[in-house]
Each structure stands twice: as C-alpha cells, then as structure tokens.
Amino acid sequence: MPLVHEATIAALATPSGESAVALVRVSGSESARLVGEIFGATPRPRLAKHCDYRDRQGRVVDDVLFTFFAGPASYTGEDSVEIGCHGNPYIAQRVLEDLFARGCRPAEAGEFTKRAFLNGRMDLSQAEAVMDLIHARGERALEAANRQLRGALGRQIAASIERLVAVVAEVEAHIDFPEEDLPPANRIRLLGDLASLRHDTGRLLATAHYGALLRDGVRTVIVGEPNAGKSSLLNRLLGWERALVSPEPGTTRDFLEEARVLGAHKIRFIDTAGLNPAPAPLESRGIERTLERAAQADLFLLVLDASRPCPTLPPELAGRLQAANTVVVWNKTDVAAPGQLPSGWRGFAQVRVSALVGNGIEELERAIELLVDKDLLKLDGDLIAINARHATALAEAGECLEAAERKLRDQAADELLASDLRGALEALGRIGGRVDHERILDKLFSSFCIGK
Ligand code: GDP
C-alpha cells in the first residue's frame, strides 16, 4: 500500500541542454488527473501515447510521447507519468512551468527514489545502488551496482537479520519468564549462531575496500627517479599531453592526477615528483608529498630508466611496494635494454615500454588490469562492494555481536545480552533502512507459545 504524499512532484529527468529527447517525470496522486487535463486522454498504464502537450492556455508546447504508470507497479510506487519531449531546454522548462501551474511542485534531489524507498519498492541499499549505477565508470563498478540494485546486499543482510531475530526472540522469551533462565545447552548453541553471524558481517565488511576502489577509482601512483619518464608515461596512458615533459630533472614538483577507464576499471593515475636522492629544497617538499601520496596508493607504477642502473628507493616507499600492488615499468627501452631487478623484487610484474615511442603501453595496461582484478579486488565470485554507510553499520553490528558473545560466555543477565543483540539488529536494519520490531514480536509470539 503506497504511502500518501501530499504533493505530486515533477522534474526534468535528463540533463538540461540540447538533445534528441528530454524526459520530464511526474509522480503523485494527481498524475491521472494531469493526463486527462493536459492530453484529454484516459490514463492507460504502460502504454506510450503520442500527443500534443497543451499548456493551461491551450497553446501547443510540443508534440510529446507520454506514458502513464499506475501505482504501486511504478518506480516510485505511486501513479506517475513520463513525458518525453524534444530535447530543447526551453521546451522542457515550458512543460515544467505548466505542470507547476497545474499544482505539481518541483521534486527535490533524489525524491523519486526516496518515494520508491518509502513506498517499499526498494530497500535503502538498492536506492543507493541507483546512484552507484549512475556514477559507475567501469565494468566492475557497473556489475557491483547492478548486483546491489537487484538486491544482492539486501538479501544477505535480510538473511542475517532473520537469524538474529530468532536469537533475540529466544533470549527475550526467557526475560519474560524470569523463572526460566537460558539453559546452558541453549547458550552454547546461541554462541555458535552469534559467531557465525559475526563471521558473515565481517566478510561483508571486508568488501568496503572494494567499494572504494570501484566507486572512487584505483589510486595508481607513478613513482621513480627524476627523468625516468613518469610524466611521458602518464601522457601515454591518458592519450593526451596532461603533464609537462622536460629533459630537466625535477620538473614535476607537485602531483598531477587524471582518471580514465582502463578495461573494467576506473584508474586514477597520479604523477609524482621524482625521487631524487640529493634533492634541491623545493624538490624535497615534492618528494615528501610523493611519499604522502604513496601512503594512500592502491597501486604503484615504478618507472625505471632502462638506460640507468636500478635506483635505491627511499625505505618509506620501498616498504610499500609489493608484487601484489606494483608494476615495474622499464622505460626508454627504445635506447637501452632493461637491467636486472634486485633479488628482493622477485615476482613483481615487469613491463618494457617506451613512453617516447609508445611501445609496450597495451601490455602495461593489461598488467595493471590483471593486478587490480587478481590482487586488489580478489575477484572469485559474486562481486558485492559495500559503501561507507554500510561499513559503519556492519562494524557496529560486529561490535554488538562480539559484546553479546562475551555476555553469553560470562553468563551475564539476559537483559544485558538482549540489549547488545538489539543493538546488532538495529545496526543491520539500518543498511536496508528498516528496523522492524514487529518481526521480533511475531517471531516471539509464534515460536515460543507466550500465551501459555
Ligand atoms: P619524469 O621526470 O620522470 O616525469 O620524466 P619525463 O617524462 O619528464 O621525461 C624526462 C626525459 O626523458 C624527457 O626528455 C623525455 O623526452 C625523455 N623520455 C621519456 N620517456 C622516454 C623513452 O621512452 N625513451 C626515450 N628515449 N626518452 C624518453
């Protein structure tokens, strides 16, 4: 049953600007009346109809294609209309002004999706996935958003909530009957249930890192000696002259950042100041900042000049480079053959390129993609990537579960135990946006014969 919102809302659903078509969306209880008034037509759900849009003065604004959706089987769960007009911002504006004059009010940001959530068409994690879907700039991000939109995260959380509700119900039943403490055998069983629940929330929590990689992009820091060809390589990877290339060492004193989609991923390339062992004062600051960037990197491209001996890296950086997060890029292979990597670097992916000529760039791109998929995302099944809000809730749920386990073990009072369990339940419920106390009561009454 859709919730009744007083206002019927309207907004442009496509970017304003000239385009083939623009879509104006309307949602609310007045939708059917508006269709009758504007188009002189009886609203027939899901049937696109070609009509003149006439404003309140009867002037034709445009010929449009409109579709009426009857609630609750609509995006928002309410009656709604989509009006496709010619993609002229002036026409879209005229249509909107007319709709406002007829009693609609401008929709707030996200209000259509908010109504979809409030009307039970989707849970909060799905509503968030709508935004992820719009912002996805790589195949993996798209995959994760689509999965979440189809309820993958919501289902996992719902399953955990279901199990937790059973535990809460059992504990609370004993609170209601103080003469019957939780028997030791039950305590042991519940301990097992809680440990398994905590394990599941922990596994989901671990995907927060993937979420950041997919949504924000993989922070890939390009490091190496001055003049190794880092800026030239950045330009090659981007396909345009983003960075200044100069034969003078120490030209890049600050860092440059530019993102592109590489295969299935959004990669943020960050060019840094060269790691000069004997820097000038201004260069030193650049190197400091390089090391700061390196501390936040997901991935490194270590650019080595093939015509020079392998450099010694500052220990702060060397300590961060691992086979799982670094591609060694031998540059300038048009003029020299690469040397040997020190023995400690065994297992690192190595690619030979010439940033000047453009050789080896595709191999480098493949090596980056492989590292992201295999070592950063560790893709080995369903891709679920939670966001920061989910992570906060999951971490809180994990802490509450741990506290509950401790209380169970210490034979603490059932009331205290129940309070931690409810905390965990509330935290998990926040992910989908629903904390349903009714369900605990239902469970309690149905499976524990309270009426005895
Ligand atoms: P950075 O200081 O590491 O950013 O290096 P740059 O990209 O500014 O390049 C330093 C110098 O090396 C410039 O003169 C480039 O033209 C040159 N260079 C860069 N890549 C190559 C390459 O693959 N081959 C050759 N021969 N020269 C290169």
Side-chain angles (χ1 to χ4, degrees), residues 72-295:
S74 67
Y75 180 76
T76 55
E78 311 168 326
D79 283 357
S80 52
V81 196
E82 287 182 2
I83 303 167
C85 56
H86 285 97
N88 167 350
Y90 178 68
I91 294 178
Q93 192 53 35
R94 283 281 310 277
V95 169
L96 279 172
E97 277 168 7
D98 182 65
L99 288 167
F100 299 150
R102 291 176 193 271
C104 294
R105 78 153 163 77
E108 287 159 18
E111 198 173 1
F112 290 93
T113 308
K114 186 177 172 193
R115 288 188 175 195
F117 163 67
L118 291 173
N119 288 328
R121 298 292 291 164
M122 53 177 77
D123 73 13
L124 213 48
S125 72
Q126 288 171 303
E128 285 166 316
V130 173
M131 285 318 283
D132 286 344
L133 199 63
I134 291 169
H135 291 134
R137 293 292 183 272
E139 195 52 38
R140 294 280 178 267
L142 186 61
E143 204 180 310
N146 266 320
R147 212 179 278 281
Q148 191 170 316
L149 185 62
R150 279 153 188 73
L153 177 61
R155 276 193 296 279
Q156 288 205 18
I157 297 294
S160 292
I161 288 180
E162 194 74 44
R163 285 155 60 201
L164 192 52
V165 163
V167 176
V168 177
E170 184 165 348
V171 172
E172 294 205 340
H174 286 277
I175 296 176
D176 287 346
F177 296 99
E179 70 278 8
E180 289 176 31
D181 266 352
L182 263 174
N186 295 29
R187 282 183 176 263
I188 290 167
R189 175 168 46 74
L190 292 182
L191 256 178
D193 291 346
L194 292 185
S196 138
L197 273 165
R198 193 154 58 87
H199 174 256
D200 290 350
T201 48
R203 266 185 40 173
L204 266 184
L205 189 55
T207 70
H209 181 57
Y210 309 160
L213 285 175
L214 295 176
R215 290 183 187 96
D216 306 337
V218 180
R219 276 164 306 187
T220 303
V221 174
I222 306 176
V223 290
E225 279 190 308
N227 253 355
K230 299 177 295 301
S231 302
S232 309
L233 186 70
L234 173 73
N235 291 341
R236 275 284 168 200
L237 285 164
L238 296 175
W240 59 288
E241 300 291 302
R242 172 66 175 87
L244 191 66
V245 171
S246 156
E248 191 160 322
T251 323
T252 311
R253 297 219 163 97
D254 211 340
F255 58 87
L256 297 174
E257 176 171 337
E258 206 65 50
R260 67 162 276 208
V261 172
L262 201 163
H265 307 287
K266 176 176 162 190
I267 310 280
R268 288 161 61 184
F269 289 108
I270 300 153
D271 186 18
T272 59
L275 301 163
N276 190 347
L282 189 57
E283 236 184 322
S284 304
R285 183 68 196 116
I287 294 175
E288 257 173 58
R289 300 198 62 177
T290 298
L291 297 173
E292 282 166 19
R293 292 278 120 186

